[in-house]
Amino acid sequence: MKTTLLALAAALALAGTARADDTRVLVLPFNVLNVPESQQWIGKGVAENIVADLGRSGDMFPVSFQGAVIVEDNATAARLARNAQTSLAIRGTAQVVGNDVRLTAQI
């Protein structure tokens, strides 16, 4: 998973979105599909890993979202990013199938 998270950071940098004035990134909990409610903690864990990895990169200053809500639309993600005084938000989904987890992230 670490390789995936570093690739996400590299994609931000290559896309030109990681300018000096917008390096604060809000990381929202991921929505975990096809699991019972008791396993939704996985989405918070994914977000925490992203925060940790981006923080270690030194190029970005991730902000962890502490709410219990799962954000499923871009408008809500943008509003939360503005409220957190960040210019970017990362949200996504995780699909658990057996021992595999598939992540899809949106910036």
Side-chain angles (χ1 to χ4, degrees):
M1 178 145 78
K2 187 170 186 169
T3 303
T4 302
L5 302 177
L6 292 176
L8 179 60
L12 277 169
L14 291 174
T17 58
R19 298 184 309 267
D21 61 338
D22 65 1
T23 56
R24 288 176 43 89
V25 179
L26 177 65
V27 182
L28 299 164
F30 278 46
N31 184 15
V32 184
L33 307 176
N34 67 332
V35 298
E37 187 67 31
S38 63
Q39 293 182 0
Q40 284 295 316
W41 59 268
I42 295 170
K44 290 182 181 181
V46 169
E48 289 172 8
N49 282 335
I50 292 172
V51 167
D53 283 354
L54 290 179
R56 278 192 292 270
S57 76
D59 296 328
M60 296 182 186
F61 302 99
V63 177
S64 178
F65 180 72
Q66 298 301 317
V69 67
I70 299 296
V71 177
E72 296 186 8
D73 63 275
N74 290 336
T76 302
R79 181 177 50 78
L80 291 171
R82 280 191 304 276
N83 290 346
Q85 298 179 342
T86 65
S87 56
L88 299 171
I90 297 174
R91 68 180 184 91
T93 59
Q95 293 177 317
V96 179
V97 179
N99 291 331
D100 295 328
V101 178
R102 178 177 184 223
L103 300 177
T104 303
Q106 294 182 344
I107 301 168

